[in-house]
Amino acid sequence: MDRTIERVFRGAPEHWVGNGFRVSNYFPSATDFEKRMSPFFLLDYHAPRVYDATTKRRGVGTHPHRGFETVTIAYQGAVAHRDSTGAGGVIRPGEVQWMTAGGGILHNEYHEDSFAKAGGIMHMMQIWVNLPKRHKLTAPKYQPLTTADIPEVRLPDDKGVVRVISGAYESTKGAASTFTPAHMLDLRLKAGAEVRLPTPKDYNTALLVLSGTVQANDSAALTEGQAVLFKNDGNEVRVHAVTDAIVLFLSGEPIEEPLVHYGPFVMNSTDEINQAVEDFNAGRFGYLED
């Protein structure tokens, strides 16, 4: 049974994150409450934008995280990142960085040097994935997913591919390990492609059109920058590509726990938020030179 479309929307007005990423927030700003897309908490979308060449650093300086994971997906451009565990790397087109902040981490991210010096188009996305209470303080870790790491399922008649970042598509399991069930699929579709995406009825489900024009469950045409939030009343989403298109599909099992959010901390209680602030101010997240 097809899911009913609850809402078609665009993100909030763009705003700068640091001095290097101009993003639009799709949720929680456009949903009724912060748990509507649980376990996905936040989606900031950096639509394609041309940056002039520069020798100055562009990005976000050192900042903390606790209680969730950040997933950065690169379509164009390159971002260099480092953290207080000593880890770091560069995220390039087609790659994904899945960072588990867990109990606490300091992190920064900037336009990668050679990209900044040459200038070019930046096209990125960052999603925050909540952690269940029992894993809130898990040890920080990275899952750097290169293009070769992310399995692809080719569609019939060479109509495109489904890149399985996490969860599963048909019998293909995703590249990332997750703490709760979370399907994250990168659809690269050619005109005329039809994709059926089964998902349990109770999973919170949405899609975002990154380029081209598609229909979802026989909807009106959906164009670049439009998102669809589905009701929890069916077990399938059908995507039809009117033109060549790129679509991100998200569907996950809700985390049915209290949620308290304060800036870069996503916890279960005000006391835990206060403890996170105290730990950060006391230097317990480690040290990272900006």
Side-chain angles (χ1 to χ4, degrees):
M1 176 182 169
D2 288 349
R3 285 176 177 252
T4 305
I5 292 175
E6 179 175 318
R7 183 181 305 171
V8 176
F9 62 96
R10 293 185 179 273
E14 291 183 331
H15 66 278
W16 284 100
V17 177
N19 68 349
F21 305 104
R22 188 165 175 81
V23 304
S24 173
N25 181 260
Y26 277 74
F27 55 78
S29 67
T31 51
D32 292 333
F33 56 100
E34 291 180 329
K35 291 179 67 176
R36 178 61 185 88
M37 269 302 294
S38 177
F40 311 104
F41 176 77
L42 171 147
L43 190 155
D44 274 345
Y45 178 50
H46 187 300
R49 181 184 181 89
V50 176
Y51 288 89
D52 294 334
T54 184
T55 56
K56 297 179 180 179
R57 287 205 301 178
R58 289 196 185 108
V60 184
T62 298
H63 55 280
H65 292 300
R66 173 178 278 183
F68 63 100
E69 303 179 286
T70 67
V71 182
T72 304
I73 306 173
Y75 299 92
Q76 291 175 278
V79 172
H81 63 93
R82 295 185 303 126
D83 72 41
S84 52
T85 72
V90 177
I91 316 165
R92 301 187 187 279
E95 298 181 339
V96 175
Q97 176 222 79
W98 196 296
M99 182 185 80
T100 303
I105 202 169
L106 300 179
H107 188 244
N108 61 40
E109 46 214 324
Y110 291 96
H111 292 202
E112 187 268 334
D113 283 348
S114 60
F115 172 79
K117 289 175 182 176
I121 298 173
M122 182 72 72
H123 185 194
M124 296 266 174
M125 180 184 306
Q126 187 168 98
I127 301 164
W128 291 11
V129 183
N130 193 16
L131 288 169
K133 183 176 179 63
R134 66 185 181 280
H135 294 301
K136 284 286 188 190
L137 301 183
T138 193
K141 70 172 184 177
Y142 276 102
Q143 298 179 73
L145 307 177
T146 66
T147 300
D149 294 325
I150 300 171
E152 295 185 349
V153 179
R154 299 203 167 273
L155 301 177
D157 302 320
D158 194 31
K159 286 294 187 179
V161 298
V162 176
R163 304 177 73 230
V164 190
I165 297 170
S166 70
Y169 172 68
E170 294 181 339
S171 60
T172 299
K173 294 188 181 301
S177 65
T178 62
F179 289 86
T180 59
H183 300 294
M184 192 177 296
L185 307 178
D186 177 15
L187 314 179
R188 307 292 178 104
L189 307 176
K190 295 182 180 179
E194 181 91 17
V195 184
R196 292 181 175 272
L197 305 168
T199 181
K201 182 185 293 188
D202 62 331
Y203 281 23
N204 291 328
T205 300
L207 63 79
L208 172 62
V209 181
L210 281 68
S211 70
T213 302
V214 303
Q215 294 172 295
N217 292 351
D218 300 322
S219 69
L222 304 165
T223 58
E224 181 177 334
Q226 286 189 298
V228 180
L229 178 66
F230 296 93
K231 292 183 179 179
N232 297 68
D233 64 353
N235 57 11
E236 185 174 81
V237 171
R238 290 180 295 108
V239 178
H240 171 74
V242 179
T243 68
D244 290 359
I246 300 175
V247 176
L248 181 77
F249 177 78
L250 299 172
S251 185
E253 182 178 71
I255 297 174
E256 300 293 354
E257 297 175 350
L259 188 149
V260 181
H261 167 228
Y262 179 74
F265 308 130
V266 181
M267 304 301 292
N268 297 111
S269 70
T270 301
D271 285 347
E272 290 172 349
I273 291 290
N274 292 338
Q275 186 64 56
V277 173
E278 180 181 322
D279 289 346
F280 168 62
N281 289 335
R284 299 186 188 113
F285 284 23
Y287 174 76
L288 178 63
E289 185 175 349
D290 206 12

